[in-house]
Amino acid sequence: MTGAETVKNCVEQLLKYSVDKLSLDKNDVIYVRNSLLDLLGLDSPSAEVSSYGEFQNDIIDPILSYAIENDLTNENEKILFETKLLGYCTPMPSAVISKFANTYSNASSKDATDWLFGISKDNNYIRLVDINKNIKWAHNGKFGKIEVTINLSKPEKDPKQIALAKMQKKSGYPACMLCIDNVGYKGNLNHPARQTLRTVPITLGGEPWSLQFSPYQYYDQHVIAFSNVHRPMDVNDACLKRLVDFTEIFPHYFIGSNAALPIVGGSILSHDHYQGGNKVLPMFLAPIRSSYIAKDGDKSVRVSIVDWYNTVVRVESEDKSALLKHASNILSGWKKYSDPDSNILASTNGEPHNAITPIARLESGKTYVLDMILRNNRTDEQHPYGIYHPTEDMHNIKKEGIGIIEVMGTFILPGRLKKELGDISSILSGNAPYEPKSLHSEENPLVKHADMIDMLVNKFGVSNTKESADKILTDHVNETCEKILECTAVFKNTDKGAIGLDKFMQTVGYVKA
């Protein structure tokens, strides 16, 4: 049992922590203290403290235990309670916006984003306690480094939680996870609490947008820029300009947009948004495969094909308007481009299929770079999930759409793989029986991996050491990730693919240098 005096002391530690780590104004401490006492049903505080213990274990967890023991919350809703608690300790949105703006003006854009990132971690909006559980490794592939993460920071709900979530009434507010209305939202079992979320306003393309950090942090300082208006995503000329505008505001970040079509787009197509961060993603390090010259003689831009798994057209220039002009030309040209010889159709029955995933950077403070990944979401009878989507034999590893992060070489794989790969390792090392008939039964939790297990057993047997079995599986996952990237290439890395890509480049006004 956690006593009231212990929790009162935790509250004082939390207040001290909030002043030190969250930029809580000392003038607000009494107000926040009384708010926390009210939330916890306590009638008076304990003495102030001069130091504090470890944030999660020594402060937050005892408070949560007390809240559960005293029926202030329950195990299923304790994260909602924690977020409400820490929302009181986080400065008001206006104070955060003011501090960010002052830091940006008087120090630098990087100092400003570092500060916002810091409080987003320190108030558990970015839950490092969960993110640090993710399993990560790197693989040197044939076109460059591939990064792989088994994502454990979004644990699957147990059946009881799922049942409770289904009973929740849906209000339609906020309209989606990216709406500005999320700031301060109390949340429920279907929608995460956002009392700890803080955003800052930015202007992109003359429009009001906002900046926040992703709570899941798939790479260093994973940031999201989103429109203040709830509207569908659209990769058009205005989008390209907004991306380049962003790099001028935050030159230390890259920024990109998912394609705006299903299958090849992101998980939230209903809200216009971009993703970026302080990370050199694997694709950025890939060399140039071939260079092109504009037929109109414009030498202010450099157009090239990146030597990467999928089809990446790179446009570079020190002249912003020239860069946007050529990028617009490639975008509009690709949207309407068809080449049956390359199995590319721009549309069928009026439904568009061609799209682009654009990613912008500002190199050395002067060179604008736009990487434009050509995408196509067409399906056919042989490829019901998408002609340029991973084939079904790879869905046991990754079935979801391959969006902006993964096409650049950083894979986010489902958390279920931790246990499943562990169970398969036990089979390959002889610590669990290999029973093909049972394995292919729909009741077997490993049935989705049955064909892969058969193949690995036939190739490597079941007498491997645990270390060897783990390596066999890691190697297979790495190989699958490379194949997935190759699936997304609209022009394959073959002689025929090179001819098809060159044909497209000539169609939109470029010839090989």
Side-chain angles (χ1 to χ4, degrees):
M1 295 288 290
T2 306
E5 291 305 315
T6 297
V7 172
K8 289 180 181 181
N9 179 263
C10 288
V11 166
E12 294 304 314
Q13 291 188 62
L14 179 57
L15 291 167
K16 172 66 175 170
Y17 173 93
S18 300
V19 170
D20 289 355
K21 291 286 195 176
L22 305 182
S23 298
L24 179 67
D25 194 305
K26 291 181 179 179
N27 293 314
D28 291 330
V29 166
I30 294 174
Y31 177 87
V32 174
R33 175 185 289 119
N34 286 327
S35 297
L36 297 179
L37 294 175
D38 178 49
L39 179 65
L40 293 166
L42 300 170
D43 55 7
S44 63
S46 66
E48 293 185 22
V49 298
S50 59
S51 62
Y52 46 84
E54 200 277 326
F55 175 63
Q56 193 71 41
N57 293 328
D58 298 333
I59 302 175
I60 299 302
D61 287 348
I63 293 176
L64 292 179
S65 295
Y66 177 86
I68 292 171
E69 291 163 6
N70 288 273
D71 296 325
L72 302 175
T73 188
N74 57 57
E75 194 66 35
N76 290 320
E77 298 183 356
K78 69 177 182 180
I79 298 301
L80 296 173
F81 187 88
E82 176 194 294
T83 307
K84 182 176 183 178
L85 177 90
L86 291 171
Y88 285 120
C89 302
T90 306
M92 289 290 286
S94 59
V96 170
I97 291 168
S98 178
K99 171 80 171 179
F100 184 92
N102 288 336
T103 306
Y104 188 102
S105 298
N106 298 318
S108 70
S109 61
K110 184 177 185 305
D111 287 322
T113 52
D114 283 351
W115 173 77
L116 183 61
F117 183 62
I119 67 167
S120 298
K121 290 187 301 180
D122 292 336
N123 72 357
N124 262 8
Y125 168 70
I126 297 171
R127 292 182 57 81
L128 291 181
V129 67
D130 295 326
I131 292 170
N132 290 338
K133 297 174 184 176
N134 290 345
I135 301 169
K136 298 182 178 182
W137 69 85
H139 164 62
N140 290 319
K142 54 190 171 186
F143 286 105
K145 184 176 71 172
I146 300 294
E147 298 174 341
V148 181
T149 296
I150 294 179
N151 179 28
L152 303 175
S153 60
K154 292 174 70 176
E156 294 180 344
K157 295 179 180 179
D158 63 34
K160 187 180 293 184
Q161 289 174 311
I162 293 171
L164 288 171
K166 285 183 178 179
M167 295 171 61
Q168 291 278 329
K169 291 183 178 179
K170 295 183 179 180
S171 67
Y173 176 86
C176 77
M177 297 284 189
L178 289 174
C179 285
I180 191 68
D181 298 329
N182 280 279
V183 177
Y185 182 63
K186 68 175 184 176
N188 54 57
L189 292 177
N190 287 314
H191 193 116
R194 288 291 184 250
Q195 289 102 326
T196 51
L197 169 63
R198 296 295 181 266
T199 69
V200 293
I202 56 176
T203 299
L204 299 179
E207 294 181 349
W209 281 55
S210 294
L211 182 83
Q212 70 173 74
F213 285 97
S214 166
Y216 305 116
Q217 289 301 296
Y218 293 142
Y219 48 79
D220 187 27
Q221 294 200 17
H222 182 180
V223 74
I224 298 172
F226 62 96
S227 171
N228 285 7
V229 177
H230 180 70
R231 67 186 185 204
M233 289 184 65
D234 190 5
V235 176
N236 51 23
D237 288 353
C239 164
L240 299 180
K241 184 179 187 307
R242 287 191 290 265
L243 293 177
V244 176
D245 284 353
F246 183 97
T247 67
E248 294 176 327
I249 303 170
F250 304 107
H252 57 294
Y253 281 164
F254 81 87
I255 191 73
S257 173
N258 265 303
L261 294 180
I263 298 176
V264 296
S267 57
I268 304 179
L269 296 177
S270 61
H271 197 118
D272 213 358
H273 72 285
Y274 311 136
Q275 298 182 69
N278 187 32
K279 168 72 174 173
V280 177
L281 292 179
M283 188 190 74
F284 298 161
L285 301 175
I288 296 302
R289 179 178 299 166
S290 55
S291 298
Y292 282 81
I293 299 172
K295 290 180 182 179
D296 65 6
D298 188 351
K299 295 182 180 180
S300 66
V301 295
R302 296 174 294 282
V303 179
S304 55
I305 304 302
V306 179
D307 195 23
W308 188 240
Y309 294 90
N310 44 45
T311 310
V312 187
V313 181
R314 177 168 293 168
V315 186
E316 303 173 77
S317 182
E318 287 74 44
D319 184 330
K320 179 179 178 180
S321 60
L323 174 108
L324 290 172
K325 171 189 169 186
H326 284 268
S328 172
N329 174 53
I330 293 167
L331 173 63
S332 61
W334 175 247
K335 282 186 174 181
K336 61 188 178 186
Y337 185 75
S338 291
D339 179 6
D341 291 340
S342 296
N343 201 27
I344 294 169
L345 298 179
S347 63
T348 54
N349 300 319
E351 178 187 352
H353 297 305
N354 286 351
I356 278 181
T357 300
I359 305 100
R361 291 171 283 147
L362 186 61
E363 295 285 358
S364 304
K366 63 178 183 179
T367 303
Y368 300 98
V369 181
L370 260 174
D371 286 332
M372 308 179 74
I373 306 177
L374 308 186
R375 313 295 303 273
N376 180 287
N377 78 341
R378 190 163 66 91
T379 62
D380 61 20
E381 289 185 6
Q382 291 74 36
H383 307 88
Y385 293 95
I387 295 172
Y388 302 100
H389 185 74
T391 51
E392 291 180 58
D393 61 312
M394 293 183 265
H395 288 184
N396 61 314
I397 303 298
K398 178 76 175 181
K399 183 177 181 179
E400 299 82 3
I402 308 303
I404 182 173
I405 299 172
E406 278 143 337
V407 289
M408 292 192 284
T410 297
F411 276 82
I412 313 300
L413 302 181
R416 61 174 171 80
L417 284 176
K418 177 184 178 182
K419 182 178 188 311
E420 292 169 358
L421 293 177
D423 291 343
I424 298 168
S425 177
S426 294
I427 293 173
L428 295 177
S429 59
N431 293 314
Y434 171 56
E435 300 173 338
K437 184 176 179 180
S438 169
L439 192 60
H440 285 266
S441 166
E442 289 299 323
E443 287 73 35
N444 194 310
L446 292 179
V447 65
K448 67 174 70 70
H449 299 289
D451 291 340
M452 180 188 81
I453 295 170
D454 290 341
M455 181 272 292
L456 293 176
V457 168
N458 288 334
K459 187 173 182 179
F460 298 102
V462 293
S463 299
N464 303 280
T465 65
K466 180 69 167 63
E467 292 75 16
S468 295
D470 289 344
K471 185 178 186 305
I472 288 168
L473 287 165
T474 300
D475 289 346
H476 182 79
V477 170
N478 292 338
E479 180 183 331
T480 301
C481 288
E482 288 196 79
K483 287 180 179 178
I484 287 172
L485 281 176
E486 290 171 339
C487 284
T488 66
V490 292
F491 296 104
K492 305 304 181 187
N493 291 309
T494 61
D495 290 342
K496 180 181 178 182
I499 292 169
L501 177 54
D502 189 58
K503 180 180 175 183
F504 165 70
M505 294 300 291
Q506 290 192 50
T507 300
V508 291
Y510 303 93
V511 293
K512 272 191 176 178

